[in-house]
Amino acid sequence: MANIQSFTSIMLIFLFLSLATANYYETLSPQQLGSPEKLTHIRFYFQELISNQEPSIIITDPPKVMNDAPLPFGSRVVLENQLTLRPELDSKRVGKAQGFYLSATQKPGVELEIVMGFVLTFNEGKFNGSTLSVLGRNHIVSEVREMPIIGGTGAFRFARGFAHARTVRVDYTKGDATIEYNLYIFHYSSFPFPSHHQGF
Ligand SMILES: *[C@@H]1O[C@H](CO)[C@@H](O)[C@H](O)[C@H]1NC(C)=O
């Protein structure tokens, strides 16, 4: 009798344990990353070409309330800009930026204040195929605009850092512009965990 009772309680304990451990998460040790965090500096030139046959930016759904601002409050711009190694348009292409500008100031006039979000995809060297996501406020008339880097993929997993944008040249009649970007990024370039984890 005693034996059956203890057997039953052992079974119950096992049942509870297996229910308690049936989770959709587990804690891993950061040591399992196997490599130290890296700090990388990246520089490229962001080429905005409005005068092209195929412009690299388009304004979608112009806002109903218009004023004399070049991008009135509520304007949305979608961009796909090339990134080059040097300021010259015909220099080596190292990647592209895909994203948006939202005009987010109610002040009329040319003091552009935009919220900018974009994904950088590199196509050269050891960062080929890796991406970085940037989201921040871009006060266009400031000499240097700083925006946070909020994440990344591939060699930029766990990325965090900031981007500095500085206008190198702008053609006010055509609207074309070249912006120098300097990025400082903490990231881990290796990540040994499989996409289909069998852990639990
Ligand atoms: C970048 O990666 C793509 C896709 O894997 C490959 O086709 C291309 O040749 C690579 N480019 C360079 C410069 O390594």
Side-chain angles (χ1 to χ4, degrees), residues 140 142-145 165-170 172 177-180:
I140 300 280
S142 300
E143 167 74 12
V144 177
R145 289 86 70 187
R166 193 179 62 83
T167 304
V168 175
R169 60 166 174 255
V170 55
Y172 288 104
T178 299
I179 320 288
E180 178 184 314

Side-chain angles (χ1 to χ4, degrees), residues 33 37-40 42 120 122 127 130-135 148-162 183-191:
L33 282 167
E37 196 172 29
K38 289 183 179 166
L39 177 62
T40 298
I42 286 182
L120 301 165
F122 298 97
F127 299 128
S130 296
T131 72
L132 281 171
S133 297
V134 181
L135 179 68
I149 293 167
I150 58 171
T153 66
F156 295 120
R157 285 166 177 160
F158 295 113
R160 63 201 162 86
F162 63 92
L183 275 50
Y184 298 88
I185 313 131
F186 274 118
H187 62 110
Y188 291 90
S189 56
S190 73
F191 188 73

Side-chain angles (χ1 to χ4, degrees), residues 35-51:
S35 74
E37 196 172 29
K38 289 183 179 166
L39 177 62
T40 298
H41 171 211
I42 286 182
R43 186 186 61 200
F44 55 76
Y45 295 84
F46 176 99
Q47 308 285 1
E48 193 147 281
L49 293 170
I50 300 177
S51 65

Side-chain angles (χ1 to χ4, degrees), residues 123-125 128-129:
N123 63 9
E124 271 297 326
N128 185 13

